Amino acid sequence: MLAEICGIDFKKQMVLRIGLAASEDTFCLSQARERLRMKTVIVVHGGAWAIPDMLAEASVAGVKTAARAGDAVLKNGGSAVDAVEKAVRYLEDDPAFDAGHGAVLNINGEVELDSIIMDGKTLATGAVASVRNIANPVSLARAVMQKTDHVMLTDRGASMFAERIGIPVADDLVTELERKDWELSNSYKDGVKTLFNTQWGHDTVGAVALDSLGNVACATSTGGIRNKMVGRVGDTPIIGSGGYADNRSGAVSCTGHGESILKVTLARLILFHMEQGKSATVAADASLQYMGERVKGCGGAIVVSSSGDWAANFTTERMAWASLKENVLHYGLNPKEDFTEMLK
């Protein structure tokens, strides 16, 4: 009766109210999801060693470019795994770094590349070692992770797998400068530690990232150290040493004297300290200090926690690094350096 008096169609009114409520719920859910989205982070490094002045500018420029490339992936909704692969591919394509197109030569004058990538969500991991003719071993490592039941492939087996899945062979990985430097050094008699701590050394590249869904990942890639023995594999492709990623703690990519990093499983050691409540910086510092005291090794690490805390620490003369979080680009080369740029 009231509806007839007032001229109100209650069925239409209820439909309208339900529609408005649904719209409000959708809006609130969208806002909640937006609030729950993590602030993305990416950190990259170009190797911890005695970087000579002639490579300093190129090294810093390279890590900044790689950080921007990885950040673009994250901003477009890409995963942490996508971001670290993209960043490391940029570094592998840059001849200023010892990975891919900038790889150093072993004692026989040959390229031998190692790489690892790890997904912190599932602990899925892929790695390759002693690869000779692949420009982007990080992508081959990801293929091992996603297309095989294994974690690591080496040398001939890795090359056979790359051929089977259509990854092209690269015959132009050695620069003219590297060939000249190799001919000058031409001896392993000083050992990797001595070479590593001089400008004859050369080292690893890597990246860690946190994506908007709260997943972390790491990737590390290297050509090793000049004049290494044929078949020598350092820390880079070894899970827990050259890199590790776990959503329950964070992600790490290591760089430095590979034999020392292997002995203390540096990446996993850093995350152990973080699991005990230490910040990324404190955990990295404590672990690098322990490595120095216990096995006399120097190195560096980049770290990101599952909450977005990040660090770039090293005990060598220099390490080129860069990070991007909330459009703020941090970067450095020398100890205690932390320059910033605001990106649009």
Side-chain angles (χ1 to χ4, degrees):
M1 181 69 69
L2 182 61
E4 293 176 1
I5 295 172
C6 298
I8 299 174
D9 187 330
F10 276 106
K11 287 186 179 181
K12 288 184 179 180
Q13 191 178 54
M14 289 303 295
V15 169
L16 180 60
R17 285 179 178 175
I18 292 170
L20 287 172
S23 297
E24 288 175 358
D25 288 345
T26 301
F27 177 71
C28 290
L29 183 60
S30 176
Q31 282 191 319
R33 284 175 176 167
E34 190 63 33
R35 285 195 296 270
L36 287 172
R37 288 174 70 86
M38 298 291 294
K39 291 181 172 64
T40 62
V41 186
I42 185 155
V43 192
V44 304
H45 71 76
W49 60 294
I51 300 170
D53 290 341
M54 64 178 289
L55 286 177
E57 185 176 348
S59 296
V60 172
V63 293
K64 288 167 69 175
T65 298
R68 290 191 186 99
D71 181 63
V73 171
L74 295 171
K75 284 180 176 174
N76 287 328
S79 69
V81 172
D82 293 334
V84 295
E85 181 189 11
K86 185 73 169 182
V88 169
R89 282 181 64 97
Y90 263 77
L91 296 169
E92 289 173 338
D93 290 339
D94 188 333
F97 302 102
D98 176 19
H101 287 282
V104 297
L105 300 172
N106 66 17
I107 196 167
N108 282 358
E110 303 163 330
V111 168
E112 289 183 306
L113 308 171
D114 308 324
S115 188
I116 191 171
I117 191 166
M118 187 167 184
D119 182 352
K121 181 180 180 180
T122 62
L123 302 187
T125 312
V128 293
S130 299
V131 174
R132 298 175 184 272
N133 56 3
I134 302 296
N136 297 112
V138 69
S139 294
L140 181 57
R142 185 172 183 178
V144 171
M145 178 176 74
Q146 295 181 329
K147 299 177 184 289
T148 79
D149 294 326
H150 307 306
V151 166
M152 181 185 291
L153 295 177
T154 67
D155 199 2
R156 186 172 66 92
S159 296
M160 291 169 62
F161 174 62
E163 182 179 3
R164 192 177 76 202
I165 63 175
I167 293 180
V169 169
D171 296 317
D172 59 345
L173 301 182
V174 183
T175 66
E176 183 179 348
L177 177 61
E178 169 56 22
R179 182 67 67 181
K180 289 180 179 178
D181 285 346
W182 177 81
E183 290 172 354
L184 284 172
S185 59
N186 76 25
S187 171
Y188 196 72
K189 63 184 179 182
D190 290 327
V192 293
K193 278 191 178 179
T194 302
L195 286 170
F196 168 76
N197 287 308
T198 70
Q199 292 184 358
W200 290 112
H202 219 357
D203 202 52
T204 308
V205 303
V208 294
L210 170 69
D211 64 30
S212 61
L213 298 179
N215 299 313
V216 298
C218 73
T220 313
S221 186
T222 191
I225 189 168
R226 187 177 294 121
N227 278 322
K228 65 184 179 180
M229 291 177 64
V230 175
R232 178 263 187 184
V233 176
D235 66 290
T236 293
I238 308 302
I239 187 171
S241 292
Y244 200 82
D246 186 344
N247 279 8
R248 296 183 179 183
S249 47
V252 180
S253 172
C254 295
T255 167
H257 180 231
E259 282 71 10
S260 296
I261 292 171
L262 281 165
K263 290 172 185 176
V264 301
T265 55
L266 183 60
R268 194 65 191 86
L269 180 60
I270 292 170
L271 291 180
F272 167 78
H273 283 299
M274 291 171 66
E275 288 161 2
Q276 308 309 305
K278 293 183 174 69
S279 69
T281 294
V282 172
D285 276 342
S287 301
L288 288 166
Q289 182 178 349
Y290 173 77
M291 185 171 76
E293 293 171 352
R294 190 73 174 85
V295 295
K296 312 302 180 188
C298 295
I302 53 173
V303 188
V304 65
S305 76
S306 296
S307 63
D309 178 31
W310 65 271
N313 300 63
F314 56 98
T315 53
T316 53
E317 287 187 32
R318 285 173 162 174
M319 181 177 82
W321 64 271
S323 77
L324 249 171
K325 180 179 181 180
E326 298 185 83
N327 290 325
V328 180
L329 175 67
H330 292 258
Y331 63 94
L333 177 70
N334 297 302
K336 301 187 184 304
E337 276 185 353
D338 185 354
F339 300 109
T340 59
E341 292 179 13
M342 293 295 299
L343 303 184
K344 296 180 179 179

